[in-house]
Amino acid sequence: MKKIFLALFILTSINTFAQKPCEIESSFTDSLGTYKSLKQKLVFERNFAGNSTRIFFSLSTNNGVLSLDTEILQRSNDFIKANCLDPKSKIYLQLANGKIVTLLLSSNETCGTLIRSDDGANNRITSASFLFSKENFEDLKTSRVTFMRIQFAGETIDFPFKTSLVSEMDNKTYEPEKYFIEDLKCFEN
């Protein structure tokens, strides 16, 4: 009987500490090169007084250049102010070890797209790609992200990260602080 409990304990422990598999969204090679991207994951969600903001991350590599694809979804019954991204826009990631990692906008200037849904709500979708700078990049593989600051064209907005986030959108549990620790390994060869 003790051997059965010991075997169950070992199997449970192995399963608990096993790495999560990479969730590939798309991967292909053609005459222009190689492209690979991971499935989007929710890293920030705020719902307050009928307004919601959700931020999704997806890592991708295009011919060996790693980028962070970011999508900001805002929803409100009122008009949603545009927060534009321009060539000077950046994302700053505050790590648990005290270091800051800066990501630079690589996509075109954008103010997002405003869409009115069937229920009369306004939705703004802002998508952009950011490139990693070389300094402190290795720290993302080992240190949790505790805070994110996005520098838009006209203002800077802060987004605190949570250790665990149960989304009101899909009731799934996400771990925003560990996003880079878990997903950067998908691009190591």
Side-chain angles (χ1 to χ4, degrees):
M1 190 69 154
K2 289 182 182 179
K3 290 181 181 181
I4 293 173
F5 284 122
L6 180 61
L8 286 174
F9 176 74
I10 291 172
L11 289 174
T12 305
S13 297
I14 290 171
N15 191 25
T16 302
F17 294 109
Q19 288 186 350
K20 294 182 181 179
C22 296
E23 297 182 63
I24 306 295
E25 181 75 23
S26 62
S27 179
F28 59 87
T29 301
D30 61 13
S31 61
L32 299 175
T34 302
Y35 178 81
K36 177 180 172 183
S37 70
L38 300 181
K39 185 177 176 183
Q40 280 187 335
K41 289 185 182 175
L42 183 70
V43 294
F44 180 83
E45 182 177 58
R46 177 186 305 142
N47 294 305
F48 183 74
N51 300 315
S52 68
T53 301
R54 292 180 178 91
I55 300 176
F56 294 87
F57 280 174
S58 173
L59 287 171
S60 66
T61 183
N62 189 353
N63 291 324
V65 177
L66 184 66
S67 65
L68 178 68
D69 300 327
T70 306
E71 189 169 82
I72 303 169
L73 303 176
Q74 297 170 286
R75 181 176 173 87
S76 177
N77 290 328
D78 300 323
F79 179 76
I80 301 171
K81 179 183 92 162
N83 288 319
C84 299
L85 295 165
D86 67 6
K88 295 180 182 177
S89 294
K90 298 175 184 165
I91 289 180
Y92 300 98
L93 302 172
Q94 172 75 50
L95 305 183
N97 66 7
K99 295 184 180 178
I100 295 175
V101 175
T102 304
L103 289 80
L104 309 171
L105 182 71
S106 69
S107 54
N108 295 328
E109 184 173 323
T110 181
C111 294
T113 304
L114 187 63
I115 301 169
R116 191 163 188 91
S117 59
D118 292 338
D119 63 359
N122 292 310
N123 300 280
R124 183 171 298 278
I125 303 168
T126 307
S127 300
S129 292
F130 291 84
L131 296 175
F132 294 89
S133 56
K134 291 187 179 187
E135 64 274 354
N136 298 337
F137 174 75
E138 292 298 318
D139 290 319
L140 285 172
K141 296 177 184 178
T142 58
S143 186
R144 295 176 294 111
V145 176
T146 58
F147 195 79
M148 176 176 66
R149 174 172 283 168
I150 300 179
Q151 180 181 332
F152 292 97
E155 69 179 311
T156 300
I157 301 177
D158 296 335
F159 302 94
F161 274 25
K162 295 181 177 180
T163 302
S164 181
L165 167 66
V166 178
S167 174
E168 293 180 26
M169 176 181 61
D170 60 9
N171 287 327
K172 291 184 180 178
T173 301
Y174 298 90
E175 295 179 318
E177 288 187 350
K178 292 182 179 179
Y179 176 78
F180 294 102
I181 294 171
E182 291 175 354
D183 286 9
L184 279 173
K185 67 177 172 39
C186 300
F187 294 97
E188 293 177 346
N189 293 341

